[in-house]
Amino acid sequence: MYDQPRANPSRTFATFEQMLERVRYEGAYPTRERAAEAVHHVLAALGRQLTGDERVDLAQRLPVEAALSLTGQIPDTERLTGWGFVKDLATRTGATPATARWDTGAVLAAVNRLAGPELLARILQNLPDGYALLFGEAELRRPQSVAA
């Protein structure tokens, strides 16, 4: 038997409702409304950090409602580390840093599945240190040049 072309395995859900259910499960949120709130806050914060082709490519892979949260933000000129991202999200939403970190992990785990490994690698390459863990990936150190 011949191998048949398969759909992109990273696209395990395609509608916003399916994305909310995934985030609700990942974050153990009591309601879909709470999951939707987390999705919109985290994607808006990510939209302030992500630029270029990676931003466009990610928006194309997200459900429309999620893509609008991502692209509805003007990218900041200040690049935040992963921890800075969480602290900024906590400040903007009035949440504790622990809650902001929890929300970030739940939402970005779902985004990771939609993005797929190649796009996620490009996204992480263009963001400051500390984001891989937020997406549920291992944080690998970038090679640093050695002074001779």
Side-chain angles (χ1 to χ4, degrees), residues 26-133:
E26 293 284 341
Y29 297 117
T31 64
R32 287 175 54 135
E33 291 75 23
R34 178 62 184 96
E37 180 180 302
V39 166
H40 290 299
H41 287 307
V42 171
L43 289 179
L46 185 60
R48 288 188 290 275
Q49 294 298 308
L50 198 56
T51 61
D53 290 340
E54 290 73 28
R55 178 182 169 109
V56 172
D57 292 347
L58 179 59
Q60 289 176 341
R61 294 188 187 190
L62 295 174
V64 173
E65 298 89 337
L68 290 173
S69 292
L70 177 79
T71 59
Q73 302 299 311
I74 296 171
D76 284 341
T77 55
E78 179 185 2
R79 306 289 286 174
L80 300 173
T81 63
W83 177 237
F85 177 89
V86 170
K87 290 191 307 186
D88 182 63
L89 180 62
T91 300
R92 289 176 186 263
T93 62
T96 66
T99 300
R101 173 60 181 94
W102 184 270
D103 290 349
T104 299
V107 173
L108 294 185
V111 170
N112 182 346
R113 294 180 69 149
L114 286 170
E118 292 172 12
L119 177 55
L120 183 62
R122 289 178 27 224
I123 289 170
L124 293 175
Q125 184 177 11
N126 288 302
L127 289 171
D129 289 338
Y131 282 86
L133 292 173

Side-chain angles (χ1 to χ4, degrees), residues 129-130 132-133 137-143:
D129 289 338
L133 292 173
E137 297 289 321
E139 182 76 41
L140 302 176
R141 291 188 152 274
R142 294 183 180 149

Side-chain angles (χ1 to χ4, degrees), residues 3-18:
D3 281 340
Q4 298 296 317
R6 297 180 189 176
N8 181 351
S10 66
R11 298 211 42 138
T12 57
F13 43 90
T15 69
F16 188 61
E17 290 74 26
Q18 290 170 322

